């Protein structure tokens, strides 16, 4: 009986993300000058978070047209389970996401100098992105080698 | 507004970031309510009109989707503010994350006045009720074992299989597998239906949430994973009774996963104010019947 109540542990972060990005009242009233990009923001955030920490973990749907394999590779989720913070834009760019490519002009938000304690993790994430690039290069060159072996 | 659509952290003019709408009694001390530690380190406060209040903070930019660490913190702080508002004023009507309006408190107040009747109706309807999220998964292999142990036809096929020659056994095996998979599917559906039925008297609405995620490993959707994933709207006092039902399900050996989270503001059941305003037929909730079952 004691365990019968609902929980809101760290596991339910997935619920928080999903609800906040997908649910709730959407206002589009003419009476206020709405910035009008709530939906766009939601999509971008979803892609960013999901590519970063894997979709499955957050229980997120990717926008249609997202190249899942690239996202999976780019998120490097096997290599860097710890790297929770860091620049997202390059990762998304690599993922060929049509929704996301406009957001990749800046590597780092210029407004966030306050978070000095997260720099290390950010570095980790950058390394992982680079590592991913290496992997793709390796794959690309693997085939010609195979041809050589045949011949 | 000079900002292009996807510019990170669009600048806004006298912006107000909106969290939720709550019912307030004007003139009461509660209208002085504030909550620090809001998104962007701002202080959230109430803008009140016609007995309803919007929880807002002053902002100059929309959230920046490029900066994930800030986004994650913002998501949690957004929820923190909505939770605090819910504690102070009862079940709030939550707005989607990242909603910013321009024009200062006056614009927010005007919006409240315009939509007051609808908002009040929904606030009353949601009063004392919260959203809870339930996920239950069943293990395929364990279900298969249960089914195998109880189905005569499968037993018969298994016997035939033992006695048959190689060629026949291939066909019998196919028959066996087909029947087993049909039965496992039916078994799971039955469990989903039974659970939905047991929850039904405890909840006011139930909405299926679909698969929890795009699986990166098997995008075509395997049989594993939660088979029952819903958001329910339920009175606060039914929290524990719902949990008791889930505890029973959990004790079942075939159950792999039971998650029960909440209470949340009614995100999933939040009304669409614009539609109702334009239609104004007075039966806004008619389109949302309760829905149960499924995977």
């Amino acid at each position: 009986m004691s365990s019968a109540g609902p929980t809101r542990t760290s596991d339910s972060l997935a619920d928080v993300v999903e609800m906040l990005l997908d649910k709730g009242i959407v206002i589009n009233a003419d009476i206020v000058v709405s910035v009008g990009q709530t939906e766009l923001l939601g999509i971008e955030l979803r892609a960013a978070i999901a590519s970063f920490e894997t979709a499955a973990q957050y229980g997120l749907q990717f926008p249609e047209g997202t190249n899942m394999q690239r996202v999976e590779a780019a998120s490097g989720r096997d290599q860097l389970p710890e790297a929770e913070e860091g620049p997202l834009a390059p990762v998304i760019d690599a993922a060929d996401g049509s929704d996301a490519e406009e957001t990749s002009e800046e590597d780092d938000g210029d407004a966030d100098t306050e978070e000095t304690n997260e720099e290390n993790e950010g570095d980790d994430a950058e390394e992982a992105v680079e590592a991913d690039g290496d992997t793709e290069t390796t794959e690309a060159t693997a085939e010609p080698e195979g041809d050589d072996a045949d011949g | 507004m000079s900002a292009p659509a996807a510019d990170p952290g669009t600048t806004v003019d006298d912006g107000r970031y909106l969290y939720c709408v709550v019912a307030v009694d004007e003139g009461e001390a509660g209208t002085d309510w504030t909550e620090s530690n809001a998104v962007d380190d701002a202080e959230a406060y109430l803008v009140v009109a016609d007995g309803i209040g919007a929880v807002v903070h002053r902002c100059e930019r929309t959230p920046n989707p490029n900066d994930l660490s800030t986004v994650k913190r913002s998501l949690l702080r957004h929820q923190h503010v909505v939770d605090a508002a819910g504690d102070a004023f009862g079940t709030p009507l939550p707005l989607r994350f990242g909603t910013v309006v321009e024009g200062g408190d006056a614009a927010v107040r005007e919006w409240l006045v315009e939509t007051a009747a609808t908002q009040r109706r929904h606030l009353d309807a949601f009063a004392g009720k919260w959203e809870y999220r339930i996920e239950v998964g069943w293990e395929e292999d364990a279900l298969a074992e249960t089914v195998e142990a109880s189905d005569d036809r499968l037993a018969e096929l298994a016997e035939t299989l033992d006695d048959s020659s190689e060629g026949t056994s291939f066909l019998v095996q196919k028959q066996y597998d087909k029947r087993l998979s049909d039965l496992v599917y039916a078994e799971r559906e039955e469990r989903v239906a039974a659970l939905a039925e047991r929850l039904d008297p405890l909840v006011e609405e139930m909405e299926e949430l679909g698969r929890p995620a795009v699986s990166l490993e098997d995008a075509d959707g395997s049989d594993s994973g939660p088979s029952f994933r819903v958001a329910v709207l339920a009175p606060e006092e039914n929290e524990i009774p719902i949990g008791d039902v889930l505890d029973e399900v959990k004790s079942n050996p075939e159950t792999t996963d039971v998650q029960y989270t909440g209470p949340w503001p009614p995100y999933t059941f939040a009304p669409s104010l614009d539609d109702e305003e334009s239609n104004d037929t007075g039966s806004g909730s008619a389109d949302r019947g309760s829905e149960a079952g499924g995977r």
Side-chain angles (χ1 to χ4, degrees):
Chain A
M1 285 294 267
S2 59
S3 65
T7 61
R8 286 179 73 166
T9 59
S10 57
D11 285 352
S12 46
L13 180 63
D15 276 344
V16 175
V17 173
E18 184 187 328
M19 286 185 295
L20 294 185
L21 295 185
D22 290 342
K23 315 280 185 183
I25 296 173
V26 180
I27 64 164
N28 186 21
D30 295 335
I31 191 161
V32 284
V33 186
S34 171
V35 171
Q37 18 173 315
T38 304
E39 186 66 30
L40 182 61
L41 191 67
I43 290 168
E44 285 173 5
L45 290 178
R46 210 172 300 132
I49 294 169
S51 67
F52 194 70
E53 291 222 24
T54 82
Q57 215 171 328
Y58 275 91
L60 299 173
Q61 302 285 345
F62 275 89
E64 271 184 29
T66 304
N67 183 330
M68 295 307 298
Q69 272 148 353
R70 297 294 294 273
V71 169
E72 182 182 12
S75 69
R77 61 204 180 98
D78 291 329
Q79 299 98 300
L80 65 160
E82 303 266 343
E84 298 210 339
E85 323 287 344
L88 258 292
V91 178
I92 295 170
D93 197 31
D96 185 31
S98 54
D99 289 306
E101 61 185 7
E102 296 153 74
T103 69
S104 59
E105 287 169 33
E106 292 175 65
D107 283 354
D108 280 306
D110 50 1
D112 295 288
T113 46
E114 55 182 308
E115 293 175 29
T116 49
N117 60 336
E118 288 170 358
E119 278 178 11
N120 289 339
E121 290 170 16
D123 288 343
D124 287 347
E126 273 172 22
E127 281 169 25
V129 171
E130 284 166 22
D132 173 62
D134 291 347
T135 310
E136 284 183 13
T137 313
T138 312
E139 280 169 9
T141 54
E143 248 178 73
E145 283 171 17
D147 288 342
D148 287 345
D150 280 346
Chain B
M1 288 304 303
S2 59
D7 193 27
T10 307
T11 305
V12 293
D13 183 24
D14 201 12
R16 292 295 181 275
Y17 181 98
L18 282 169
Y19 293 86
C20 59
V21 174
V22 294
V24 293
D25 292 320
E26 271 179 284
E28 274 191 15
T31 52
D32 293 337
W33 178 91
T34 59
E35 180 64 33
S36 54
N37 254 330
V39 174
D40 293 338
D41 298 318
E43 183 178 69
Y45 63 95
L46 271 182
V47 175
V48 181
D50 279 5
I52 54 175
V55 177
V56 304
H57 78 242
R58 292 183 177 81
C59 69
E60 292 162 4
R61 296 171 81 83
T62 60
N64 175 359
N66 276 359
D67 181 10
L68 192 72
S69 60
T70 307
V71 163
K72 285 172 74 177
R73 197 176 48 192
S74 297
L75 285 166
L76 294 173
R77 288 198 178 171
H78 179 109
Q79 184 57 37
H80 162 78
V81 170
V82 178
D83 282 341
D87 283 347
F89 302 101
T91 311
L93 296 181
L95 281 115
R96 187 181 289 186
F97 178 83
T99 304
V100 177
V101 301
E102 291 185 299
D105 289 354
V108 174
R109 207 168 284 121
E110 208 176 332
W111 174 66
L112 287 178
V113 170
E114 281 282 313
T115 56
T118 316
Q119 307 240 37
R120 168 61 74 180
R121 184 157 49 82
H122 287 290
L123 283 167
D124 289 347
F126 284 128
K129 296 163 197 160
W130 298 88
E131 177 169 335
Y132 299 88
R133 295 191 150 213
I134 298 169
E135 278 187 39
V136 178
W138 287 278
E139 196 187 336
E140 293 294 314
D141 293 348
L143 282 182
E145 269 177 44
T146 309
V147 166
E148 275 174 321
S150 63
D151 187 63
D152 293 343
R153 175 70 183 141
L154 279 181
E156 222 173 84
L157 285 169
E159 222 170 274
T160 318
L161 197 56
D162 288 341
D163 301 339
S164 13
S165 64
E166 201 174 315
T168 323
S169 91
F170 174 75
L171 292 172
V172 176
Q173 183 70 51
K174 272 183 79 170
Q175 274 184 314
Y176 185 92
D177 292 345
K178 171 79 166 66
R179 177 157 183 86
L180 181 59
S181 104
D182 286 352
L183 287 175
V184 166
Y185 180 80
E187 177 76 16
R188 197 177 52 210
E189 291 297 288
E190 200 175 297
R191 284 168 192 244
V192 165
L195 178 53
E197 199 174 312
R198 290 189 68 187
L199 292 174
D200 191 54
L202 297 171
V203 307
E204 189 149 303
E205 287 188 52
M206 181 182 291
E207 194 155 306
E208 230 182 293
L209 292 171
R211 278 183 70 80
V214 172
S215 169
L216 297 176
E217 270 131 27
D218 44 41
D220 54 355
S222 72
D223 284 336
S224 62
S227 297
F228 183 74
R229 186 165 183 270
V230 292
V232 300
L233 182 72
E236 200 169 352
E237 62 267 23
N238 284 354
E239 248 182 47
I240 300 299
I242 292 171
D244 289 341
V245 170
L246 295 175
D247 268 358
E248 277 177 48
V249 173
K250 196 176 191 171
S251 65
N252 200 310
E254 292 91 7
T255 307
T256 53
D257 182 36
V258 176
Q259 278 184 33
Y260 180 30
T261 68
W264 306 105
Y267 282 103
T268 303
F269 306 96
S272 171
L273 297 179
D274 287 337
D275 290 351
E276 292 188 20
E277 287 305 300
S278 55
N279 296 337
D280 210 17
T281 53
S283 59
S285 58
D287 59 327
R288 193 185 292 123
S290 65
E291 201 181 300
R295 274 153 293 140

